[in-house]
Amino acid sequence: MQINDRRIHFLYEAWRSGSMRQASEILEMAPSSISRQIAQLEREIGSTLIEHGRREIVLTEAGHAVLEYYRNRHSSLEMLNAQLRDLSAARTGHVKFAIGEGFLGEALYRTLDEFMDGYPGFTLSLSVTDTTEMVRLLLEDEVHFGLGFHPLSHPQVVSRFRAAVPLKAIMHAAHPLADRSSISIAELCAEPLALMGQAFRIRQMIDLAAADSGQLVSPVLVSNSIPVLIRSACARRAVTVLPEFSVRSELSNGQLVAVRIVSSAMQSVYVHLITRRNRILSPQVMALTEQMRKRLAPTALYAPTDGKEPAAS
Amino acid sequence: MQINDRRIHFLYEAWRSGSMRQASEILEMAPSSISRQIAQLEREIGSTLIEHGRREIVLTEAGHAVLEYYRNRHSSLEMLNAQLRDLSAARTGHVKFAIGEGFLGEALYRTLDEFMDGYPGFTLSLSVTDTTEMVRLLLEDEVHFGLGFHPLSHPQVVSRFRAAVPLKAIMHAAHPLADRSSISIAELCAEPLALMGQAFRIRQMIDLAAADSGQLVSPVLVSNSIPVLIRSACARRAVTVLPEFSVRSELSNGQLVAVRIVSSAMQSVYVHLITRRNRILSPQVMALTEQMRKRLAPTALYAPTDGKEPAAS
DNA sequence: CAAATTTGTTGCGTTTATTGCAATCTAAAA
DNA sequence: TTTTAGATTGCAATAAACGCAACAAATTTG
């Protein structure tokens, strides 16, 4: 059945004001239109709604039922309007994104706190994933954006910006190399290392840099968990290689130190914020990505608008 | 805000089928219309509902909110349809009517039982009122019809039919006059009488007939309750004057007898079923009035269609 | 009771909204 | 890149809604 709610509105006004003519003044229309629309509504519904041949508007039972429906619809509409107001005022919404394991840490938490303070009605979905999974999530629109190291190249995935996050040698403050301003790849490889598995981008970068120097990486501890690596450094059992922001709190309280590694490959490691191509992001999502950009590194660079170059691995 | 639900239907189909083109086939319309209607809807609502510049339909948060409203509306509409089906199948409804005091009795109860058996979904409102109140109820549409003796004349009240209900002398079966075929007004007035107050139509009719015969009515018992009058007759304390149907059960079990009163005024007493002028009655109400007509007297007459003559007092 | 008034309804021409077709543009796929 | 599938836009045709005026019918009023 095809029911036009606009016609019910006419019926409602006619009933509320008592006559079609009064309704016509309220609605600023000719009475004839109202009469016709109500007649049409009756044809659509298949039963009479008002007692015709009367001076005033008297509803039939069916008419009362229709108006009850109309009131239902009206309150539903009010709810919708409230929702839409909230949305356009950005009071509610949802942001979903994915990050690589390395980003769990104080910097991220502070960024999330900032965002949630700034947009109290917003909810967040955060997936901690590996790079392959991140690309899948992006392509299927299951996340708005992803944050990771040199993500896999994919024609449908582009980088919105990148930030240089040089990998550093992370070691205990009491480590013999801790007061050095920089160390070489060879010196690094001579130390007991705690690194991620070879499936991870960070590890792949390290292996690549080491291979360039003719060194072999043979870590004493391999883990896919960054906190495990950090703990091993804190316990003076190993040196690990991570970007500074992953261990920012340990650096600031003096427990660990980060030493520069003499290697162009280690310096030119970039974090990319990636999205699906042509993905339209709401202002709130944009705000979150901007906060992340600032937090990651004040020197973060915006990717070229075509977004192709930085996505190359 | 003016929202056209038909447009939301297009949005819904486009979202459900995945693209405007598929929706256009389902809806048997040109894709351009769908696009335009959705664009118009976005203008009406004031925010984008789908992510434009995409191959497939992807809703924004506002779009999801709109579709949630649409689903609400849909279920409301289903409820309305169910109600309307019930109404048009006459499965539910409401009948409200008023009767004069004299009609309470077995005949009425049986009529109501019949009606309620025939229309299980229907509810009844029965007001037992005096004539003045009955007219007020009719004029304000608080009852569909009324049943009473010679109701007050009113230009807006018409009689649908009338039934002759001669007033009879009601007396105990052992009363000296009980085996008479008829008695005169004078004989009646010589008996101890139990009658209604002078505000009631029945009493007024009796007084009028007595005055015509030069008699004075001086009842030993006056009550506005018919059962009280009946009881006084059963107790052999008085003779009362009522239509037969008011005492049908007492007549059939032989407790009381009804004796004809020799008086044209007493013979031409009519019960009228009255409604407001031009009141349109549903088939169910008509059925109830028809049942009442048959029950009151098989000889009941339909009032002239202009309905003016019988309403005269 | 009859005249006057108010109200709903209907015919007809006008205005507005909707639709379909074809062309154009664009994102996604090959 | 080229191809393909889908969204969008201009324009003419169509359908719906509208206003005006006349009419009919129901109440009110005198």
Side-chain angles (χ1 to χ4, degrees):
Chain A
M1 188 200 297
Q2 177 71 357
I3 289 186
N4 187 332
D5 291 301
R6 195 173 122 278
R7 298 203 173 99
I8 302 183
H9 180 61
F10 294 162
L11 175 69
Y12 171 75
E13 283 295 345
W15 171 77
R16 200 173 63 87
S17 63
S19 75
M20 295 190 189
R21 287 193 122 84
Q22 280 188 270
S24 75
E25 290 181 12
I26 295 170
L27 298 167
E28 294 179 338
M29 295 172 52
S32 57
S33 291
I34 305 210
S35 172
R36 247 191 291 264
Q37 291 300 321
I38 290 176
Q40 179 67 24
L41 183 64
E42 290 184 325
R43 239 167 291 142
E44 285 171 358
I45 285 180
S47 55
T48 60
L49 301 174
I50 62 177
E51 296 187 1
H52 293 270
R54 293 284 303 275
R55 230 175 136 95
E56 71 228 309
I57 298 294
V58 179
L59 296 177
T60 63
E61 306 252 354
H64 280 295
V66 168
L67 252 51
E68 195 184 321
Y69 155 78
Y70 183 72
R71 277 183 276 270
N72 270 347
R73 172 182 180 271
H74 189 72
S75 61
S76 287
L77 255 182
E78 276 190 344
M79 281 179 52
L80 172 63
N81 276 327
Q83 276 189 57
L84 291 174
R85 264 201 312 280
D86 279 1
L87 285 173
S88 67
R91 281 204 285 272
T92 66
H94 192 69
V95 180
K96 36 193 186 177
F97 63 103
I99 60 171
E101 168 95 7
F103 297 89
L104 283 176
E106 270 307 305
L108 177 73
Y109 302 149
R110 247 176 282 165
T111 305
L112 296 188
D113 287 347
E114 254 179 38
F115 179 81
M116 294 171 80
D117 289 345
Y119 302 92
F122 270 68
T123 54
L124 289 170
S125 286
L126 168 56
S127 306
V128 180
T129 61
D130 59 67
T131 316
T132 313
E133 177 73 357
M134 189 182 294
V135 170
R136 191 191 66 79
L137 292 175
L138 283 170
L139 292 179
E140 298 181 6
D141 274 340
E142 295 196 8
V143 295
H144 290 117
F145 64 89
L147 204 59
F149 293 97
H150 277 217
L152 278 176
S153 173
H154 189 286
Q156 290 304 320
V157 171
V158 297
S159 168
R160 293 292 178 115
F161 68 76
R162 60 176 185 177
V165 284
L167 293 182
K168 304 240 173 155
I170 307 296
M171 62 195 74
H172 194 272
H175 192 279
L177 297 174
D179 49 359
R180 294 274 293 277
S181 68
S182 65
I183 61 175
S184 68
I185 292 283
E187 285 174 307
L188 179 68
C189 289
E191 293 293 320
L193 292 175
L195 300 175
M196 308 193 79
Q198 289 184 317
F200 289 78
R201 281 281 157 188
I202 294 181
R203 173 65 188 277
Q204 289 171 15
M205 302 291 297
I206 296 167
D207 284 359
L208 201 64
D212 283 348
S213 305
Q215 301 290 325
L216 192 66
V217 176
S218 53
V220 296
L221 174 65
V222 171
S223 173
N224 58 357
S225 164
I226 301 258
V228 168
L229 303 182
I230 294 174
R231 179 158 301 170
S232 73
C234 288
R236 302 178 67 171
R237 304 196 58 89
V239 170
T240 186
V241 178
L242 290 170
E244 282 194 11
F245 69 77
S246 293
V247 286
R248 187 150 294 166
S249 63
E250 287 84 0
L251 293 178
S252 60
N253 67 23
Q255 196 174 6
L256 298 179
V257 294
V259 179
R260 191 168 72 87
I261 302 168
V262 180
S263 157
S264 63
M266 293 291 100
Q267 303 307 314
S268 60
V269 171
Y270 293 99
V271 163
H272 288 266
L273 189 137
I274 57 177
T275 66
R276 191 176 44 66
R277 255 189 105 172
N278 300 310
R279 184 67 151 104
I280 295 167
L281 298 180
S282 71
Q284 293 76 40
V285 175
M286 294 294 278
L288 179 55
T289 62
E290 183 63 12
Q291 285 175 346
M292 289 195 162
R293 187 187 65 77
K294 285 180 183 162
R295 182 75 65 180
L296 273 174
T299 61
L301 304 171
Y302 283 98
T305 45
D306 72 354
K308 283 178 181 174
E309 176 265 320
S313 66
Chain B
M1 188 203 295
Q2 178 71 357
I3 288 185
N4 186 333
D5 291 296
R6 195 173 123 277
R7 298 201 173 99
I8 301 183
H9 180 61
F10 294 162
L11 175 69
Y12 172 76
E13 284 294 346
W15 171 77
R16 199 173 64 85
S17 63
S19 75
M20 295 189 191
R21 287 195 111 84
Q22 281 189 269
S24 76
E25 290 180 13
I26 295 170
L27 298 167
E28 295 180 338
M29 295 173 53
S32 57
S33 292
I34 312 245
S35 171
R36 248 191 293 262
Q37 290 301 322
I38 291 176
Q40 180 67 25
L41 182 64
E42 289 184 326
R43 239 167 291 143
E44 285 171 358
I45 285 180
S47 55
T48 60
L49 301 174
I50 62 177
E51 296 187 0
H52 292 271
R54 291 286 301 276
R55 230 175 137 94
E56 71 228 307
I57 299 292
V58 179
L59 296 176
T60 64
E61 305 255 352
H64 276 113
V66 168
L67 250 49
E68 194 185 322
Y69 155 77
Y70 184 72
R71 278 183 275 268
N72 269 347
R73 172 182 179 272
H74 189 72
S75 61
S76 288
L77 210 50
E78 276 190 344
M79 282 180 52
L80 172 62
N81 276 326
Q83 275 189 60
L84 290 174
R85 263 201 311 279
D86 278 2
L87 285 172
S88 68
R91 281 205 285 271
T92 66
H94 192 69
V95 180
K96 37 194 185 175
F97 63 103
I99 60 170
E101 169 94 7
F103 297 89
L104 283 175
E106 270 307 305
L108 177 75
Y109 301 149
R110 247 176 283 165
T111 305
L112 296 188
D113 287 346
E114 255 179 37
F115 180 81
M116 293 171 80
D117 289 344
Y119 302 92
F122 271 68
T123 54
L124 288 170
S125 286
L126 168 56
S127 306
V128 180
T129 61
D130 59 67
T131 315
T132 313
E133 177 73 356
M134 189 182 293
V135 169
R136 191 190 66 77
L137 292 175
L138 283 171
L139 291 178
E140 298 181 4
D141 275 339
E142 295 197 7
V143 295
H144 289 118
F145 64 91
L147 203 60
F149 293 96
H150 278 216
L152 277 175
S153 174
H154 189 286
Q156 291 305 320
V157 171
V158 297
S159 168
R160 292 294 178 114
F161 68 77
R162 61 178 184 178
V165 283
L167 294 181
K168 304 242 173 152
I170 306 296
M171 62 196 72
H172 194 272
H175 193 278
L177 296 173
D179 50 358
R180 293 276 293 278
S181 66
S182 65
I183 61 176
S184 68
I185 292 281
E187 284 173 308
L188 179 66
C189 290
E191 294 294 321
L193 292 174
L195 300 176
M196 308 194 79
Q198 289 184 315
F200 289 78
R201 281 281 156 189
I202 294 181
R203 174 63 188 276
Q204 290 172 15
M205 302 291 297
I206 297 165
D207 285 0
L208 201 65
D212 282 349
S213 304
Q215 301 289 325
L216 192 65
V217 176
S218 52
V220 296
L221 174 66
V222 170
S223 172
N224 57 357
S225 164
I226 301 260
V228 169
L229 303 183
I230 293 174
R231 179 158 301 172
S232 73
C234 290
R236 302 178 66 169
R237 304 196 57 89
V239 171
T240 185
V241 179
L242 289 172
E244 282 193 12
F245 69 79
S246 293
V247 287
R248 186 149 295 167
S249 62
E250 287 84 359
L251 293 178
S252 60
N253 67 22
Q255 198 174 5
L256 298 178
V257 294
V259 178
R260 191 168 72 85
I261 301 167
V262 181
S263 157
S264 64
M266 293 290 100
Q267 301 308 314
S268 59
V269 171
Y270 293 98
V271 162
H272 289 266
L273 187 137
I274 56 178
T275 66
R276 190 177 45 64
R277 255 190 104 171
N278 301 309
R279 184 69 149 104
I280 294 167
L281 299 180
S282 71
Q284 292 76 41
V285 176
M286 294 295 278
L288 179 55
T289 62
E290 182 63 11
Q291 284 174 345
M292 289 194 161
R293 188 188 64 78
K294 285 179 182 162
R295 182 75 64 182
L296 272 174
T299 61
L301 303 171
Y302 283 98
T305 45
D306 72 353
K308 284 178 180 173
E309 176 264 321
S313 67

